[in-house]
């Protein structure tokens, strides 16, 4: 008995055996992201499908806002389009399940005017197995897996979810992370528990975590003092035109290994870092614009009581909602990743074939 | 029925189709609201309210 619902199979069509001609078809039909695609021939899709035990017709999720059916085969087609190695397919199946979890709030993320992108964080053995970069330039160019996995998820969101720019994707500007946004955690240089262990998974389990990320704000500081480092990070997080302060959110920090070492060496656990940042990043409500303050009052009065100009707004409902990973190479840089606000990250285990 | 501003009509119609209501009536307001005064927004609402009531109650738009 198969309890998993089946989705309609991927449509097949004949096209000239010509790279440029096929790319013209994808361009005209808006089935791409603006970059050339790898033609998803039957052979390439079959090679991709050979990397999972799941049946091609298994429905993995329905993808908002169009609620298209993401079957294993549909995911495989988009993985081919993006240039993925076949071995990446299980990771994309897990990521597709994760974005469809109601806590992620995909409907809003896909259709909003906000630039929010789906950031994929990989933990556990999958990072090494698939050669996903967690060190130098892990959010930049150069690593095949990072580039194509993030790109494939975007194509899934657009082609299956129907979020075409200017149509159901209403982003005012969007951001470069909507082309691709994927890295692994640098677990080897993380002085604390890695993200997936913190979220209840075994250390030897491979996971993907999806985050509704508004962008990346670099923080270059040569501070060697843990308290001072926390202060300047908190001051970076504090910004008035923020969905997080408006609705409370789940802000993310990518600590460079050097900064993580300073905080750990200063005696801070990850939980204590979160607690301290939550306190230090409280922002006086009067820093918001008048109209935004009205939105804050609508959204957070129940949580905070009467909101006056000198009320201190926390960036998140609870200190533990501040999320931290360690990633990157040597250097005095960390990254603040503001969240979309009305979204929570979701983690799923990656099920490899063997 | 639903209500949206002109900038979101494409999203509204596509979403209605995707959710199985291709004929969903949509009342459309001029976009944007953000730079209008409360008085201007109220005037827009007053202009539209009868149409919206008719759509909600199933009667044809005026």
């Amino acid at each position: 008995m198969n309890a998993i619902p089946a989705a309609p199979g991927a449509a097949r069509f004949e096209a000239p055996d010509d790279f440029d001609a096929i790319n013209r078809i994808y361009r005209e039909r808006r089935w791409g992201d603006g970059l050339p695609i790898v033609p998803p021939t039957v052979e390439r899709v079959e090679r991709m499908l050979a990397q999972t035990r799941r049946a091609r017709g298994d429905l993995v999720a329905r993808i908002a806002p169009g609620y298209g059916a993401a079957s294993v085969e549909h995911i495989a087609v988009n993985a081919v389009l993006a240039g993925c190695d076949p071995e990446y397919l299980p990771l994309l199946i897990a990521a597709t399940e994760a974005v469809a979890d109601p806590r992620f709030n995909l409907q809003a993320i896909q259709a909003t005017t906000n630039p929010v992108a789906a950031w994929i964080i990989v933990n556990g053995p999958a990072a090494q197995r698939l050669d996903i970069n967690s060190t130098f330039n892990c959010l930049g160019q150069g690593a095949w897996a990072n580039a194509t996995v993030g790109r494939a998820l975007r194509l899934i969101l657009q082609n299956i979810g129907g979020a075409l720019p200017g149509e159901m994707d209403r982003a005012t500007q969007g951001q470069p992370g909507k082309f691709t946004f994927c890295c692994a955690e640098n677990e080897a240089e993380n002085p604390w528990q890695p993200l997936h262990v913190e979220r209840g998974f075994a250390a030897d389990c491979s996971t993907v975590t999806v985050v509704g990320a508004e962008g990346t704000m670099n923080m270059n500081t040569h501070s060697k003092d843990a308290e001072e480092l926390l202060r300047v990070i908190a001051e970076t997080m504090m910004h008035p035109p923020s969905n997080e302060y408006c609705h409370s959110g789940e802000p993310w920090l990518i600590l460079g290994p050097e900064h993580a070492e300073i905080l750990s060496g200063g005696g801070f656990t990850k939980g204590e870092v979160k607690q301290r940042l939550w306190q230090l990043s409280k922002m006086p409500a009067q820093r918001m614009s008048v109209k935004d303050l009205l939105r804050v009052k609508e959204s957070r009065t129940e949580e905070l009581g009467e909101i006056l100009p000198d009320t201190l707004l926390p960036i998140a409902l609870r200190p533990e909602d501040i999320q931290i990973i360690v990633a990157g190479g040597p250097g005095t840089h960390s990254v603040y990743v503001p969240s979309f606000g009305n979204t929570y990250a979701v983690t799923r285990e990656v099920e490899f074939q063997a | 029925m639903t209500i949206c501003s002109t900038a979101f009509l494409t999203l509204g119609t596509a979403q209605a189709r995707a959710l199985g209501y291709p004929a969903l009536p949509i009342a459309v307001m001029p976009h944007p609201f953000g730079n209008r005064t409360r008085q201007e927004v109220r005037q827009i609402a007053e202009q539209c309210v009868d149409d919206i009531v008719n759509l909600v109650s199933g009667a044809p738009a005026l």
Side-chain angles (χ1 to χ4, degrees):
Chain A
M1 192 181 81
N2 183 1
I4 300 169
R12 295 183 183 207
F13 66 97
E14 298 269 339
D17 186 13
D18 177 78
F19 181 82
D20 294 332
I22 292 171
N23 265 284
R24 269 197 301 279
I25 290 170
Y26 273 75
R27 189 169 172 175
E28 285 164 10
R29 298 183 186 183
R30 300 191 72 190
W31 289 345
D33 56 6
L35 295 168
I37 54 89
V38 175
T41 58
V42 170
E43 295 75 19
R44 287 197 181 101
V45 174
E46 292 302 320
R47 277 201 297 277
M48 192 69 69
L49 287 168
Q51 293 294 322
T52 178
R53 282 192 296 265
R54 295 187 65 165
R56 70 176 63 223
D58 283 358
L59 179 64
V60 175
R62 287 203 169 264
I63 306 297
Y67 293 94
S71 69
V72 171
E73 186 179 29
H74 289 115
I75 294 168
V77 169
N78 284 282
V80 172
L81 287 171
C84 288
D85 285 353
E87 292 76 14
Y88 307 162
L89 181 65
L91 203 149
L92 281 165
I93 292 171
T96 304
E97 273 180 4
V99 294
D101 185 302
R103 286 173 298 162
F104 191 64
N105 196 9
L106 186 62
Q107 166 72 41
I109 283 175
Q110 289 266 71
T112 180
T113 53
N114 190 281
V116 57
W119 169 30
I120 298 173
I121 305 163
V122 180
N123 277 95
Q128 197 169 10
R129 174 176 176 153
L130 303 179
D131 203 15
I132 299 169
N133 186 10
S134 65
T135 61
F136 295 98
N137 207 37
C138 60
L139 289 178
Q141 84 290 2
W144 200 273
N146 298 45
T148 60
V149 166
R151 186 187 185 200
L153 182 60
R154 171 53 49 195
L155 290 172
I156 289 165
L157 293 174
Q158 180 186 286
N159 291 340
I160 304 177
L164 276 172
E167 294 189 13
M168 289 208 275
D169 179 341
R170 305 300 305 172
T172 305
Q173 288 94 10
Q175 56 156 313
K178 290 182 79 170
F179 278 101
T180 185
F181 203 162
C182 172
C183 68
E185 182 166 27
N186 187 342
E187 294 179 23
E189 296 190 86
N190 182 345
W192 308 295
Q193 277 186 334
L195 181 70
H196 66 312
V197 175
E198 184 187 345
R199 295 171 81 89
F201 294 85
D204 61 355
C205 176
S206 292
T207 63
V208 291
T209 300
V210 292
V211 178
E214 206 177 54
T216 57
M217 176 69 204
N218 192 60
M219 299 178 287
N220 177 17
T221 169
H222 292 207
S223 172
K224 302 294 178 237
D225 178 82
E227 279 288 353
E228 186 184 47
L229 185 53
L230 290 169
R231 176 178 65 77
V232 295
I233 291 172
E235 288 189 13
T236 308
M237 294 162 75
M238 232 186 289
H239 63 298
S242 153
N243 276 13
E244 290 167 334
Y245 286 95
C246 196
H247 305 297
S248 81
E250 196 185 55
W252 281 75
L253 291 165
I254 305 173
L255 294 177
E258 293 181 15
H259 286 164
E261 184 57 40
I262 291 165
L263 295 174
S264 169
F268 286 89
T269 63
K270 201 200 281 189
E272 287 165 346
V273 169
K274 294 180 179 197
Q275 180 69 41
R276 196 88 185 98
L277 287 172
W278 188 74
Q279 285 294 346
L280 289 169
S281 63
K282 286 184 179 176
M283 182 174 74
Q286 63 199 358
R287 286 190 60 188
M288 311 283 286
S289 74
V290 172
K291 284 215 170 192
D292 292 333
L293 193 49
L294 289 174
R295 293 164 63 217
V296 175
K297 287 177 178 173
E298 288 273 328
S299 189
R300 303 190 71 179
T301 296
E302 195 177 324
E303 170 198 347
L304 300 171
E306 188 183 7
I307 295 171
L308 300 167
D310 59 353
T311 299
L312 292 175
L313 303 174
I315 193 166
L317 196 57
R318 305 163 304 176
E320 54 266 38
D321 289 339
I322 296 175
Q323 304 293 329
I324 295 172
I325 65 164
V326 176
T332 54
H333 300 265
S334 288
V335 184
Y336 166 45
V337 182
S339 96
F340 169 57
N342 292 318
T343 178
Y344 284 93
V346 175
T347 302
R348 285 282 185 277
E349 183 175 357
V350 181
E351 292 177 25
F352 288 106
Q353 193 171 31
Chain B
M1 63 87 59
T2 191
I3 305 169
C4 73
S5 71
T6 45
F8 289 89
L9 181 57
T10 314
L11 171 63
T13 50
Q15 187 86 71
R17 202 166 46 242
L19 293 172
Y21 297 94
L24 184 76
I26 300 177
V28 185
M29 310 291 129
H31 190 88
F33 286 123
N35 56 4
R36 293 180 200 274
T37 64
R38 283 186 171 255
Q39 183 55 31
E40 287 171 328
V41 172
R42 177 173 287 278
Q43 281 170 2
I44 292 169
E46 283 169 357
Q47 284 165 15
C48 305
V49 67
D50 288 342
D51 275 351
I52 292 169
V53 169
N54 284 329
L55 287 171
V56 170
S57 61
L62 295 174

